[in-house]
């Protein structure tokens, strides 16, 4: 895409916090972004205006509202040309005809492959990814003498560090929490939906009760039964870790700030392998997409390819929100921070969170099954068989409507 193709008029206007829904207008770009991303985009817009004279308007919206608002605004003739959102809503957006395919041209090879995979639906790319995230393992260096190199090593360290009489624990992940438990299940072959031949996912091929997934839940069960892992919710887990009462916890980079603020002598590493197999967490990917109702699709694509897909812009986004960049030239710079490098390694080995609509049928049944296992009310195989049966019924009913 040549820059001359987008060099037209001028004006850059940031519309912040007005609550007014703006509409795509021919010849002027409108971008929906959250407060953090808006700061960077405002700078790009100024450069765009100065060099090419192309008007860009940026409207701030809460990050979690952007995709939902698009579903209402776009068909009514309002809404942006470009939006910033997370990939896990991709399936609904595409199924409702709200997104335009993305063409990154030769720059596609400059992105983390897992990030592009996350933004691909039925074999078609719909987003320009800018950041990835995946969970890892925090450990308190004052409580364990090394980062575990395997899950068996983690179990041994956890048992040594546990002293329930003193309120001290060795290892925890939030319970019941499918997102945080998935790496134990995926390591040995568990999956949510199997990839289909057309590059999408088959919602009726559910792998949460296959042999590998059940082995992972059995490990989860054994950790609880043998006292190596207490049954805790998320806030209790993080509270124990930041007060020095928990040696290791499994969660994401969003806790780095709290852990650092608490003064914990910590390390942050990828979740160790399970029986020699990599623990593969879910990967979340944030990115830019183009509305299918845009009146400036070529202009939007050019803006993204020429001004967003650059090392400078990606590093500016990283400075505002330190998640690993999905753009490889920027990632090479950002991964000098060891914590960022950990997240990047975990994301590279991870599995994109399924972005199809049928994922809505999964979470509750899966979480209930984990709770029943944690409570010692059902064995792993029975719990996961029941969950998958419930998930399949819900999906089949929705597909028949």
């Amino acid at each position: 895409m040549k820059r001359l193709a987008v060099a037209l008029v001028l004006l850059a206007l940031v519309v912040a916090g007005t609550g007014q829904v703006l509409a795509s207008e021919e010849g002027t770009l409108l971008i929906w972004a959250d407060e953090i991303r808006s700061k960077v985009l405002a700078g790009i817009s100024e450069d765009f205006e100065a060099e090419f004279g192309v008007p860009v308007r940026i409207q701030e919206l809460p990050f979690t509202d952007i995709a939902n608002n698009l579903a209402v605004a776009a068909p009514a003739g309002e809404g942006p040309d470009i939006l910033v959102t997370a990939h896990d809503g991709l399936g609904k957006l595409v199924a409702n005809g709200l997104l335009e395919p993305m063409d990154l041209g030769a720059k596609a090879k400059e992105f983390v492959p897992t990030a592009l995979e996350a933004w691909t639906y039925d074999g078609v790319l719909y987003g320009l990814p800018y950041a990835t995230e995946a969970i890892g393992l925090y450990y308190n260096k004052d409580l364990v003498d090394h980062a575990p190199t395997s899950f068996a090593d983690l179990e041994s360290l956890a048992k040594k560090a546990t002293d329930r009489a003193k309120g001290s624990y060795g290892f925890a992940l939030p319970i019941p929490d499918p997102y945080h438990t998935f790496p134990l299940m995926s390591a040995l072959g568990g999956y949510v939906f199997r990839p289909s031949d057309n590059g999408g996912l088959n919602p009726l091929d559910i792998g949460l009760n296959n042999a590998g997934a059940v082995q992972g839940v059995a490990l989860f069960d054994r950790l609880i039964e043998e006292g190596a892992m207490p049954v805790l919710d998320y806030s209790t887990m993080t509270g124990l870790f930041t007060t020095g009462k928990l040696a290791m916890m499994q969660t994401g980079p969003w806790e780095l700030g709290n852990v650092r603020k608490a003064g914990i002598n910590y390390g942050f590493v990828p979740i160790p392998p399970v029986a020699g197999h990599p623990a593969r967490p879910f990967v979340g990917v944030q990115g830019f997409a183009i509305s299918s109702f845009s009146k400036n699709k070529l202009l939007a694509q050019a803006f993204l390819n020429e001004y967003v897909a650059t090392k400078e812009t990606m590093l500016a986004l990283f400075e505002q929100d330190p998640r690993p960049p999905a753009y490889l030239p920027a990632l090479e710079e950002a991964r000098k921070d060891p914590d960022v490098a950990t997240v990047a390694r975990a994301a590279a080995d991870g599995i994109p969170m399924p972005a199809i609509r049928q994922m809505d049928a999964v979470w509750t049944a899966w979480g209930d099954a984990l709770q029943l296992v944690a409570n010692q009310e059902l064995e792993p195989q029975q719990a996961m068989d029941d969950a998958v049966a419930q998930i399949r019924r819900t999906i089949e009913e929705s597909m028949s409507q």
Side-chain angles (χ1 to χ4, degrees):
M1 190 67 66
K2 303 296 184 185
R3 291 186 176 188
L4 289 176
V6 298
L8 295 172
V9 203
L10 60 134
L11 175 65
L13 173 64
V14 176
V15 182
T18 63
Q20 178 185 4
V21 176
L22 303 180
S24 172
E25 298 175 1
E26 189 172 351
T28 299
L29 276 182
L30 173 62
I31 303 175
W32 277 4
D34 64 300
E35 181 181 4
I36 294 174
R37 262 53 63 170
S38 291
K39 295 174 183 175
V40 176
L41 293 172
I44 297 173
S45 300
E46 291 174 358
D47 294 342
F48 202 55
E49 173 186 349
E51 188 170 0
F52 298 112
V54 174
V56 180
R57 296 181 297 175
I58 303 168
Q59 186 170 20
E60 283 186 15
L61 294 171
F63 187 87
T64 54
D65 290 350
I66 291 175
N68 289 335
N69 285 0
L70 181 73
V72 176
E78 299 178 326
D81 299 291
I82 296 171
L83 61 147
V84 178
T85 189
H87 92 277
D88 55 3
L90 179 62
K92 291 180 183 176
L93 294 172
V94 173
N96 290 326
L98 297 173
L99 294 188
E100 190 72 6
M102 183 72 63
D103 180 8
L104 298 181
K107 283 196 170 181
K109 65 179 183 298
E110 299 175 0
F111 287 83
V112 173
T114 305
L116 293 179
E117 181 185 350
W119 274 98
T120 299
Y121 186 85
D122 282 347
V124 179
L125 181 67
Y126 285 95
L128 184 157
Y130 69 83
T132 64
E133 65 180 15
I135 63 173
L137 180 75
Y138 292 82
Y139 68 102
N140 185 327
K141 295 180 179 178
D142 294 332
L143 300 179
V144 292
D145 59 8
H146 65 276
T149 56
S150 67
F151 224 88
D153 189 21
L154 181 151
E155 289 182 61
S156 175
L157 291 170
K159 290 176 181 175
K160 291 177 182 175
T162 297
D163 187 341
R164 291 180 178 249
K166 295 182 178 178
S168 299
Y169 302 92
F171 168 71
L173 54 79
I175 298 173
D177 188 320
Y179 177 85
H180 282 80
T181 309
F182 182 64
L184 306 186
M185 303 170 69
S186 64
L188 299 173
Y191 57 88
V192 181
F193 301 122
R194 182 184 291 280
S196 59
D197 294 338
N198 65 359
L201 296 170
N202 181 352
L204 295 178
D205 188 340
I206 303 165
L208 292 175
N209 64 336
N210 68 16
V214 172
Q215 287 181 58
V217 178
L219 170 59
F220 166 89
D221 186 27
R222 182 164 54 79
L223 290 168
I224 295 171
E225 286 184 329
E226 295 182 357
M229 181 172 70
V231 178
L232 303 173
D233 61 22
Y234 186 87
S235 61
T236 304
M237 176 189 76
T238 55
L240 287 170
F241 191 83
T242 54
T243 54
K245 294 290 187 180
L246 176 63
M248 297 174 284
M249 69 172 178
Q250 186 166 298
T251 192
W254 48 84
E255 284 297 335
L256 282 168
N258 291 330
V259 171
R260 290 169 178 168
K261 185 178 179 181
I264 299 296
N265 181 22
Y266 78 97
F268 185 51
V269 295
I271 299 166
V274 179
H277 298 275
R280 306 184 66 191
F282 281 133
V283 180
V285 185
Q286 298 180 337
F288 295 83
I290 299 174
S291 169
S292 61
F293 290 84
S294 167
K295 296 178 181 176
N296 304 285
K297 294 173 183 174
L298 291 178
L299 189 63
Q301 185 69 73
F303 179 82
L304 294 176
N305 285 15
E306 297 287 341
Y307 285 84
V308 174
T310 70
K311 181 178 179 180
E312 293 75 19
T313 298
M314 293 292 181
L315 285 176
L317 290 166
F318 170 73
E319 289 172 1
Q320 294 294 322
D321 181 8
R323 302 168 199 253
Y327 189 60
L328 291 169
L331 178 60
E332 290 307 309
E333 183 76 18
R335 71 192 321 161
K336 293 176 182 175
D337 180 325
D339 294 333
V340 173
T342 288
V343 182
R345 292 204 308 275
D349 288 337
I351 298 172
M353 176 85 76
I356 60 177
R357 290 181 296 172
Q358 290 83 2
M359 195 64 188
D360 288 348
V362 171
W363 296 114
T364 299
W366 188 0
D368 289 347
L370 294 176
Q371 185 68 71
L372 290 167
V373 173
N375 293 346
Q376 308 299 307
E377 295 180 49
L378 282 182
E379 292 300 315
Q381 185 71 65
Q382 185 63 58
M384 297 315 300
D385 284 348
D386 291 351
V388 168
Q390 180 180 338
I391 293 166
R392 182 172 285 107
R393 280 196 304 272
T394 303
I395 292 174
E396 288 176 341
E397 288 172 4
S398 68
M399 294 175 74
S400 66
Q401 294 175 354

